[in-house]
Amino acid sequence: VQLQASGGGLVQTGGSLRLSCAASGFSLDYYTITWFRQAPGKEREGVSCIRRSDGYTYYANSVKGRFTISRDNARYTVSLHMNNLGPEDTAVYYCAAGVVRPIQSSWARPDVYDYWGQGTQVTVSS
């Protein structure tokens, strides 16, 4: 399984970006997909998750109401729509896939995921 994250860039405070996580040649429906991010000098943190089978979603408190995760109709990509961005959102964003069906206490743990994309840089200027 190879994942590719894309859509990062430079945006001003208050702006929006849409990140995409794509898999090579197969559907992501079978997998739980989670976006993580890592800022310089900080640990990797879970941002948002869309669970396999039922599509249940999780969000970090810091992004609730601003970010939305979704699967596209063709099921080949998972998007993260990010609105009202601030400098605190600056980080490298990674998508990860796993066959787990995580719960609230586990969705943001990097060790439950089997596959990772290469990351895409998001920079928010103040």
Side-chain angles (χ1 to χ4, degrees), residues 51-125:
R51 196 165 64 185
R52 61 182 287 247
S53 301
D54 59 8
Y56 194 84
T57 58
Y58 297 99
Y59 295 94
N61 288 335
S62 58
V63 307
K64 278 182 183 176
R66 301 189 297 125
F67 291 12
T68 303
I69 192 170
S70 63
R71 297 184 188 270
D72 76 348
N73 290 335
R75 305 301 193 192
Y76 277 73
T77 63
V78 171
S79 296
L80 183 68
H81 298 258
M82 308 187 296
N83 297 318
N84 194 22
L85 288 162
E88 67 277 11
D89 297 312
T90 295
V92 177
Y93 284 70
Y94 302 87
C95 60
V99 296
V100 296
R101 294 187 74 247
I103 57 177
Q104 178 63 42
S105 62
S106 64
W107 72 268
R109 286 174 41 193
D111 63 305
V112 306
Y113 298 94
D114 305 303
Y115 308 103
W116 291 81
Q118 84 288 0
T120 184
Q121 176 71 47
V122 171
T123 303
V124 185
S125 62

